[in-house]
Amino acid sequence: MTELIICTTCRPLHHPPEQRASGELLLEAVQAEQAFSGRSDWAAVRVRGVACMAGCSHACTAAFQAEGKHSYQFGDLHPQADTARQLLDCAVLHQQVTDGSLAREARPPLLRNGMLCRLPPILASVNGPAVGTP
């Protein structure tokens, strides 16, 4: 199962501290779209918020991860319904692709840029630590 993780403490530079964090608003937008869309593919995505994903210079940030798949983090997102829908669409794509690879041209338009990192899947160790591990 793909997990869509959204940083709830993300605030773009110069965001007034008395206003709610943009990341918190983005999480709420994703949850609302997921809850009221009636789409079973979106319902199969696990969505959660976390405090700080260390993408502060690119707030708002969101990530996709699943066991045995590449993980991705995107930044410079906006807390809007369209962003929420595209994040859910990308999470479905991540879930459908065997290794989680998200080709640029296959991603929704808002996620074709702004990738902060791509991490390879964790290697399962049957006979001890992975090569190169102390």
Side-chain angles (χ1 to χ4, degrees), residues 10-125:
C10 270
R11 292 175 186 277
L13 192 62
H14 306 298
H15 185 93
E18 63 277 1
Q19 290 182 1
R20 292 179 61 204
S22 296
E24 184 180 0
L25 297 172
L26 180 58
L27 175 62
E28 287 178 4
V30 167
Q31 290 171 327
E33 291 294 329
Q34 187 181 41
F36 300 113
S37 71
R39 290 188 47 181
S40 60
D41 56 347
W42 285 1
V45 174
R46 180 183 299 138
V47 176
R48 73 176 166 119
V50 297
C52 194
M53 292 196 325
C56 303
S57 62
H58 294 282
C60 293
T61 60
F64 303 101
Q65 69 179 13
E67 186 175 332
K69 296 186 177 200
H70 291 278
S71 296
Y72 292 83
Q73 183 183 25
F74 291 89
D76 300 315
L77 302 171
H78 300 282
Q80 302 166 341
D82 191 43
T83 304
R85 289 189 291 271
Q86 291 191 42
L87 283 169
L88 288 163
D89 282 341
C90 197
V92 169
L93 176 64
H94 185 264
Q95 192 159 287
Q96 293 171 342
V97 178
T98 306
D99 69 351
S101 291
L102 298 173
R104 184 181 190 280
E105 64 278 357
R107 296 191 306 259
L110 292 176
L111 298 173
R112 291 189 182 147
N113 295 308
M115 184 186 303
L116 302 180
C117 70
R118 175 181 184 255
L119 301 172
I122 295 173
L123 297 176
S125 177

